[in-house]
Amino acid sequence: MASIKDLFILLIASSLVSNVVLSQFLGLCPFLGVSKKVKTASSMGVAVIFVITLASAVAGLIYKFLLVPLGIEYLQTIVFILVIAALVQFVEMFLKKTSPGLYQALGVYLPLITTNCAVLGVALTNVQKEYGILTGIVNGFATAVGFTIAIIILAGIREKTAYNDVPESFKGMPMVLLTAGLMAIAFCGFSGLL
């Protein structure tokens, strides 16, 4: 059982020091695609927090109480993909019923959470590092918070620079990629934190 101090360090490490998008380069599709507006980016971040945290919990429980006792740990990737797909479908149906505007705003990027390699990456990292269920949930939550921080910062920068005068060759995605690269360099400054 991890102590509160260890869980807090994991929270900081997973969200800032080892940011899933800016350090590990996982989850770039929704990061680049949904970061045009802060409102949409923050909504996507909340959905990712919910999915990754819940996926970490469910995947940890399935791994510990089903796959390991049956000796079929080699099926972890397939099982985790199925769990993630089911959770994203649940979130999609929930948003469609409760918030049609947000559902429309997220559009095609909501199903992208299913293929978001960050979600699967967290579940596999929890297994590889032999985290317990609570530690895995904290790692999943912290990783998702790190994703949310990064996507909101990028969306804020994109909103501020949308009408700037930039050379034609830098307009659109080249400017976004350059901004994301500079953000990754800036997040390297957190490496000395822990």
Side-chain angles (χ1 to χ4, degrees):
M1 185 77 180
S3 69
I4 299 292
K5 178 185 174 188
D6 293 336
L7 292 176
F8 182 72
I9 290 173
L10 180 64
L11 187 74
I12 299 299
S14 293
S15 60
L16 296 177
V17 177
S18 299
N19 188 285
V20 71
V21 178
L22 301 173
S23 296
Q24 299 174 22
F25 305 110
L26 296 174
L28 290 175
C29 293
F31 175 69
L32 297 174
V34 187
S35 59
K36 291 180 182 173
K37 300 285 180 196
V38 172
K39 185 178 182 200
T40 309
S42 58
S43 300
M44 179 64 145
V46 170
V48 168
I49 287 173
F50 178 75
V51 170
I52 289 183
T53 305
L54 200 56
S56 296
V58 173
L61 290 169
I62 288 173
Y63 184 80
K64 183 174 181 176
F65 295 112
L66 186 66
L67 298 181
V68 172
L70 294 175
I72 54 173
E73 297 94 340
Y74 57 88
L75 292 176
Q76 67 188 10
T77 305
I78 295 168
V79 171
F80 292 169
I81 289 171
L82 292 173
V83 166
I84 292 164
L87 288 172
V88 170
Q89 287 302 312
F90 171 74
V91 169
E92 193 170 358
M93 289 185 308
F94 179 77
L95 284 178
K96 194 173 187 177
K97 284 277 191 197
T98 60
S99 181
L102 177 57
Y103 176 77
Q104 289 296 329
L106 291 176
V108 71
Y109 296 105
L110 189 58
L112 271 179
I113 296 175
T114 304
T115 60
N116 187 345
C117 53
V119 182
L120 180 60
V122 170
L124 293 173
T125 299
N126 290 344
V127 170
Q128 289 171 350
K129 292 190 176 182
E130 298 178 357
Y131 288 154
I133 294 171
L134 176 63
T135 308
I137 292 170
V138 169
N139 183 49
F141 175 75
T143 301
V145 167
F147 176 88
T148 304
I149 290 169
I151 197 170
I152 289 173
I153 290 172
L154 182 63
I157 293 171
R158 285 181 76 175
E159 279 186 1
K160 294 290 183 190
T161 61
Y163 302 108
N164 286 0
D165 188 26
V166 295
E168 190 65 35
S169 59
F170 279 100
K171 288 185 178 177
M173 197 51 69
M175 186 58 116
V176 175
L177 292 172
L178 182 63
T179 303
L182 291 172
M183 285 175 58
I185 292 170
F187 267 67
C188 285
F190 289 119
S191 62
L193 192 63
L194 299 175

